[in-house]
Amino acid sequence: MSKEIVVAIDGPAGAGKSTVAKALANALKLKYLDTGAMFRAVTSLALISGTDVHDEAGVGSVAETMDLVMEDGSVVANGVDVTTDIRSIAVTNAVSTVAANSRVRSNMRDRQRKWSELNSGGVIEGRDIGTVVFPDAVLKVYLTASPRVRAERRVAEAGGNIDEIERSIAERDLKDSTRADSPLQESADSVVVDTSNRAIDEIVNSIVALVSDRLK
Ligand code: DC
């Protein structure tokens, strides 16, 4: 049996994955990995280097040659601090094209598995963590929330027009869930948690209880 304890947190944009996953990692004394930030870092480097995000071979090689350091919330790719840039509108608009690239996905998968090995597991958030990257995770949580609530959260974080944001979230969800390689989907053995009208503490406590139960 593997000594790695992986808790997979998957779900669409704005479902509360980062907030829940960070608090959960803290409560469980596990490391936290934001895999969306990894796809965003590849996207940021591609844009910086002028690589067309639709150029599969070009973006594939950006991913494969990327030196990525993620520490304490900062993201440094090829020596460039891209922590802020990965949240820019340009990166957000291009990232689902990059995330549909199989060479990129395969490389990110390898990095995520290596990270877990090094850290004896962790709380890992993404889209395909429970379904593809860590099918043997101790617990798989699929977080969701109504489209309006998800858009409201994004507006609260970064401002913007709620209707436009709701539309752009829906577009990204559609791309992420209909792509051929590792689409966003619930896994048969995931616990589905709707975060629309629940307090974070209560959600985190209930997931901690589920993990403790699984580890008995
Ligand atoms: O969670 P996020 O919004 O930072 O994710 C950015 C993009 O990366 C999003 O379009 C989905 C994609 N992604 C993915 O395909 N697989 C993951 N494990 C994590 C993110």
Side-chain angles (χ1 to χ4, degrees):
M1 214 183 86
S2 150
K3 279 180 282 161
E4 292 168 42
I5 297 174
V6 172
V7 180
I9 309 283
D10 291 304
K17 293 189 300 295
S18 300
T19 312
V20 168
K22 280 181 203 161
L24 197 59
N26 213 17
L28 293 168
K29 301 199 169 30
L30 290 172
K31 295 268 189 186
Y32 158 72
L33 181 63
D34 173 3
T35 63
M38 299 171 73
F39 288 93
R40 287 174 179 272
V42 177
T43 308
S44 172
L45 281 190
L47 296 178
I48 290 169
S49 65
T51 309
D52 179 350
V53 290
H54 295 97
D55 169 4
E56 293 201 4
V59 177
S61 111
V62 168
E64 285 159 11
T65 57
M66 173 173 69
D67 171 41
L68 182 68
V69 181
M70 292 169 74
E71 257 169 19
D72 302 326
S74 83
V75 181
V76 177
N78 292 354
V80 181
D81 187 335
V82 293
T83 315
T84 307
D85 188 56
I86 60 169
R87 306 291 162 197
S88 67
I89 291 175
V91 168
T92 299
N93 287 342
V95 67
S96 32
T97 302
V98 170
N101 180 319
S102 285
R103 265 177 67 181
V104 174
R105 296 209 72 81
S106 158
N107 185 268
M108 293 305 112
R109 214 156 42 228
D110 290 349
R111 290 175 192 256
Q112 290 153 15
R113 289 179 179 149
K114 252 181 226 142
W115 178 92
S116 173
E117 239 178 82
L118 271 175
N119 293 289
S120 310
V123 178
I124 307 182
E125 70 156 283
R127 301 291 191 289
D128 60 342
I129 304 305
T131 49
V132 175
V133 190
F134 296 99
D136 298 327
V138 168
L139 182 71
K140 302 175 185 180
V141 179
Y142 188 89
L143 282 190
T144 181
S146 74
R148 195 67 179 180
V149 166
R150 290 159 52 206
E152 277 166 10
R153 287 180 182 154
R154 282 291 133 101
V155 171
E157 272 167 21
N161 176 285
I162 180 116
D163 293 323
E164 262 171 39
I165 289 179
E166 194 175 339
R167 255 197 312 277
S168 100
I169 286 181
E171 245 172 62
R172 200 141 61 89
D173 283 355
L174 184 70
K175 272 196 183 171
D176 290 339
S177 55
T178 55
R179 69 178 172 229
D181 190 346
S182 333
L184 167 67
Q185 57 185 17
E186 284 168 31
S187 104
D189 53 353
S190 60
V191 177
V192 180
V193 177
D194 189 322
T195 65
S196 301
N197 298 304
R198 290 178 67 191
I200 291 295
D201 282 5
E202 188 218 329
I203 294 168
V204 171
N205 290 341
S206 69
I207 301 176
V208 168
L210 286 173
V211 174
S212 308
D213 210 47
R214 296 277 168 105
L215 289 176
K216 266 183 197 159

